[in-house]
Coordinates of all heavy atoms in Angstrom, one line a residue:
P1 N 0.8 -1.2 0.0 CA 0.0 0.0 0.0 C 0.9 1.3 0.0 O 2.0 1.3 0.6 CB -0.8 -0.1 1.3 CG -0.7 -1.5 1.7 CD 0.6 -2.0 1.2
A2 N 0.4 2.3 -0.6 CA 1.1 3.6 -0.7 C 1.3 4.2 0.7 O 2.1 5.1 0.9 CB 0.4 4.6 -1.6
T3 N 0.6 3.7 1.7 CA 0.6 4.2 3.1 C 1.8 3.5 3.9 O 1.9 3.8 5.1 CB -0.7 3.9 3.8 OG1 -1.0 2.5 3.6 CG2 -1.8 4.7 3.3
S4 N 2.6 2.7 3.2 CA 3.7 1.9 3.9 C 4.9 2.8 4.1 O 5.6 3.1 3.2 CB 4.0 0.7 3.1 OG 2.9 -0.1 2.8
N5 N 5.2 3.2 5.4 CA 6.3 4.1 5.7 C 7.5 3.3 6.1 O 7.5 2.6 7.1 CB 5.8 4.9 6.9 CG 6.8 6.0 7.3 OD1 8.0 5.8 7.1 ND2 6.4 7.0 8.0
P6 N 8.6 3.3 5.3 CA 9.8 2.6 5.6 C 10.4 2.9 7.0 O 11.1 2.0 7.6 CB 10.8 3.0 4.5 CG 9.9 3.5 3.4 CD 8.7 4.1 4.1
W7 N 10.2 4.1 7.5 CA 10.7 4.4 8.8 C 10.0 3.8 10.0 O 10.3 4.1 11.1 CB 10.9 5.9 8.9 CG 12.0 6.4 8.1 CD1 13.4 6.5 8.5 CD2 12.1 6.8 6.7 NE1 14.2 6.9 7.4 CE2 13.4 7.0 6.3 CE3 11.1 6.9 5.7 CZ2 13.8 7.4 5.0 CZ3 11.4 7.2 4.4 CH2 12.8 7.5 4.1
L8 N 8.9 3.0 9.7 CA 8.3 2.2 10.7 C 8.6 0.7 10.6 O 8.0 -0.1 11.3 CB 6.8 2.5 10.7 CG 6.3 3.9 11.1 CD1 4.8 4.1 10.8 CD2 6.6 4.1 12.6
A9 N 9.4 0.4 9.6 CA 9.8 -1.0 9.4 C 10.3 -1.7 10.6 O 11.3 -1.1 11.3 CB 10.8 -1.1 8.2
G10 N 9.7 -2.8 11.0 CA 10.2 -3.5 12.1 C 10.0 -2.9 13.5 O 10.5 -3.4 14.5
S11 N 9.3 -1.8 13.5 CA 9.2 -1.1 14.8 C 8.0 -1.6 15.6 O 7.0 -2.0 15.0 CB 9.0 0.5 14.6 OG 10.1 1.0 14.0
P12 N 8.0 -1.6 16.9 CA 6.9 -2.1 17.7 C 5.6 -1.3 17.5 O 5.7 -0.1 17.2 CB 7.4 -1.9 19.2 CG 8.9 -1.7 19.1 CD 9.2 -1.1 17.7
T13 N 4.5 -2.0 17.7 CA 3.2 -1.4 17.6 C 3.1 -0.1 18.4 O 3.6 -0.1 19.5 CB 2.1 -2.3 18.0 OG1 2.2 -3.5 17.3 CG2 0.7 -1.7 17.9
G14 N 2.6 1.0 17.8 CA 2.5 2.2 18.5 C 3.6 3.2 18.3 O 3.5 4.4 18.6
T15 N 4.7 2.7 17.7 CA 5.9 3.6 17.3 C 5.4 4.7 16.4 O 4.6 4.5 15.5 CB 7.0 2.8 16.6 OG1 7.5 1.8 17.5 CG2 8.2 3.7 16.3
V16 N 5.8 5.9 16.7 CA 5.4 7.1 15.9 C 6.5 7.5 14.9 O 7.7 7.4 15.2 CB 5.1 8.3 16.9 CG1 4.6 9.5 16.1 CG2 4.2 7.9 17.9
A17 N 6.1 7.9 13.7 CA 7.0 8.5 12.7 C 6.6 9.9 12.4 O 5.4 10.2 12.3 CB 7.0 7.6 11.4
N18 N 7.6 10.8 12.3 CA 7.4 12.2 12.1 C 6.3 12.8 13.0 O 5.3 13.3 12.6 CB 7.0 12.4 10.6 CG 8.1 12.4 9.7 OD1 9.1 13.2 9.8 ND2 8.1 11.5 8.7
P19 N 6.6 12.7 14.3 CA 5.6 13.2 15.3 C 5.4 14.7 15.2 O 4.3 15.2 15.5 CB 6.3 12.9 16.7 CG 7.7 12.7 16.4 CD 7.8 12.1 15.0
I20 N 6.4 15.4 14.6 CA 6.2 16.9 14.4 C 6.2 17.1 12.9 O 7.2 16.9 12.2 CB 7.3 17.7 15.1 CG1 7.3 17.4 16.6 CG2 7.1 19.2 14.8 CD1 8.5 17.9 17.3
N21 N 5.0 17.5 12.3 CA 5.0 17.7 10.9 C 3.9 18.8 10.6 O 3.1 19.1 11.5 CB 4.7 16.5 10.1 CG 3.3 15.9 10.4 OD1 2.3 16.5 9.9 ND2 3.2 14.8 11.1
P22 N 4.0 19.4 9.4 CA 3.1 20.6 9.2 C 1.6 20.3 9.4 O 0.9 21.3 9.6 CB 3.4 21.0 7.7 CG 4.8 20.5 7.6 CD 4.9 19.2 8.4
H23 N 1.2 19.1 9.2 CA -0.3 18.8 9.4 C -0.6 18.2 10.7 O -1.8 17.8 10.9 CB -0.7 17.9 8.2 CG -0.6 18.5 6.9 ND1 -0.7 17.8 5.7 CD2 -0.4 19.8 6.5 CE1 -0.6 18.6 4.7 NE2 -0.4 19.8 5.1
N24 N 0.4 18.1 11.6 CA 0.2 17.5 12.9 C -0.5 16.1 12.8 O -1.5 15.8 13.5 CB -0.6 18.4 13.8 CG 0.1 19.7 14.1 OD1 1.3 19.6 14.5 ND2 -0.5 20.8 13.9
N25 N -0.1 15.3 11.8 CA -0.8 14.1 11.5 C 0.3 13.0 11.3 O 0.6 12.6 10.2 CB -1.6 14.2 10.3 CG -2.5 13.0 10.0 OD1 -2.6 12.1 10.8 ND2 -3.0 12.9 8.8
P26 N 0.9 12.5 12.4 CA 2.0 11.5 12.3 C 1.5 10.1 11.9 O 0.3 9.9 11.8 CB 2.5 11.4 13.8 CG 1.4 11.8 14.6 CD 0.6 12.8 13.8
D27 N 2.4 9.3 11.6 CA 2.2 7.9 11.2 C 2.5 7.0 12.4 O 3.3 7.4 13.3 CB 3.0 7.5 10.0 CG 2.6 8.2 8.7 OD1 1.4 8.4 8.5 OD2 3.5 8.5 7.9
Y28 N 1.9 5.8 12.4 CA 2.1 4.9 13.5 C 2.3 3.5 13.0 O 1.8 3.1 12.0 CB 0.8 4.9 14.4 CG 0.5 6.2 15.1 CD1 -0.3 7.1 14.5 CD2 1.1 6.5 16.3 CE1 -0.6 8.4 15.2 CE2 0.9 7.7 17.0 CZ 0.1 8.6 16.4 OH -0.2 9.8 17.0
A29 N 3.1 2.8 13.8 CA 3.3 1.3 13.5 C 2.1 0.6 14.0 O 1.6 0.8 15.1 CB 4.6 0.8 14.2
G30 N 1.7 -0.4 13.2 CA 0.6 -1.2 13.6 C 1.0 -2.6 13.9 O 2.1 -2.9 14.2
N31 N 0.1 -3.6 13.7 CA 0.4 -5.0 13.9 C -0.2 -5.8 12.8 O -0.8 -5.2 11.8 CB -0.2 -5.5 15.3 CG -1.7 -5.2 15.4 OD1 -2.4 -5.4 14.5 ND2 -2.0 -4.7 16.6
A32 N -0.1 -7.1 12.8 CA -0.6 -8.0 11.7 C -2.1 -7.8 11.4 O -2.5 -7.8 10.3 CB -0.3 -9.4 12.1
N33 N -2.9 -7.5 12.4 CA -4.3 -7.4 12.2 C -4.7 -6.0 11.7 O -5.7 -5.8 11.0 CB -5.1 -7.7 13.6 CG -4.9 -9.1 14.0 OD1 -4.8 -10.0 13.2 ND2 -4.8 -9.2 15.3

């Protein structure tokens, strides 16, 4: 999916990527489900 952030690869569920960004809308690591 285009939503796949490489900077969350292998990171535990709940890990945040780009917590500070212009839209205040960070990405999060999920789980298999």
Side-chain angles (χ1 to χ4, degrees):
T3 51
S4 304
N5 184 338
W7 283 273
L8 290 171
S11 297
T13 302
T15 300
V16 183
N18 281 303
I20 300 168
N21 67 70
H23 294 167
N24 296 311
N25 187 14
D27 293 323
Y28 295 93
N31 54 44
N33 297 324

